Amino acid sequence: MQRRRLLAAGAVACTLPVPWTARAEPGFDVQPWPANKAAPAQLGIDTAGRSWNLAEQRGRALLINFWASWCEPCREEMPSLQRLATSRAADLQVLTVSFKDPLASAQRFISQSGLQLPVMRDEEGTLARQWGVRVFPSTVLVDSEGIVRSTVRGAVDWTGPAAQRLIQPLLKRVPAAAAPGLAP
């Protein structure tokens, strides 16, 4: 009898919400970057032939978005990611990574979505593995000092308030004495 009560209690406990889940809002979640995991120094080469590396991005926040042409949430997210990159170009760089897409599929997606962001092709899934990406879309968030902070798994409206809460801590800090309108 006591064994049945314990099993029943265990079943109820498994259905309770887990308080430590990093759920940001419906549709996506935020996973902190593991403290003991080094970020890849080389980000890749985009379709225009430009080589990207993490050290060169210091001074601006960096978002690395992993997508696939077969991924409907990726299609829905891309326009807001493009608008974010355009509106925050001075303090934010957005790179995109096409995951295991044949060249024709990637080009069709780029054309249909009007994507003007740098696109790196990840034909073998090597970049996704290096960055620990298994869910699409996923976006790696890197602060202006070049420190990887977290990975957002799932689609985000990158022009909405939830995205602003994710981006703001990544931006370059202006010392209070140097901020305009503030007394030292």
Side-chain angles (χ1 to χ4, degrees):
M1 184 66 145
Q2 186 167 351
R3 183 176 177 190
R4 285 186 188 154
R5 273 191 237 148
L6 289 173
L7 288 174
V12 171
C14 291
T15 62
L16 296 176
V18 180
W20 44 263
T21 301
R23 194 76 180 162
E25 81 173 24
F28 69 90
D29 66 23
V30 181
Q31 299 295 310
W33 187 258
N36 59 350
K37 183 176 180 179
Q42 295 300 318
L43 302 173
I45 299 173
D46 68 21
T47 55
R50 179 178 175 188
S51 180
W52 294 85
N53 72 55
L54 196 55
E56 288 177 350
Q57 301 310 307
R58 286 206 174 106
R60 291 198 302 176
L62 173 65
L63 274 61
I64 308 167
N65 178 265
F66 289 82
W67 58 271
S69 63
W70 47 261
C71 166
E72 191 57 37
C74 299
R75 292 175 179 279
E76 293 170 6
E77 176 184 58
M78 199 56 71
S80 73
L81 195 61
Q82 180 71 57
R83 285 191 302 275
L84 171 69
T86 301
S87 69
R88 302 299 300 254
D91 57 1
L92 178 72
Q93 175 65 55
V94 178
L95 302 177
T96 68
V97 179
S98 169
F99 177 75
K100 291 189 175 182
D101 269 325
L103 181 59
S105 297
Q107 288 174 330
R108 191 169 32 259
F109 178 91
I110 292 165
S111 175
Q112 289 172 348
S113 66
L115 186 61
Q116 298 174 357
L117 299 169
V119 177
M120 294 174 281
R121 296 197 55 238
D122 190 13
E123 295 174 23
E124 303 298 320
T126 305
L127 286 173
R129 276 191 303 281
Q130 289 173 342
W131 288 96
V133 170
R134 293 186 188 105
V135 174
F136 298 93
S138 280
T139 305
V140 178
L141 307 179
V142 182
D143 72 16
S144 63
E145 299 299 317
I147 299 169
V148 182
R149 295 299 178 178
S150 56
T151 302
V152 179
R153 299 182 311 180
V156 175
D157 172 4
W158 288 103
T159 59
Q164 295 312 306
R165 288 189 297 274
L166 294 169
I167 295 166
Q168 200 57 43
L170 305 174
L171 302 175
K172 190 174 182 179
R173 302 276 189 245
V174 177
L182 296 177

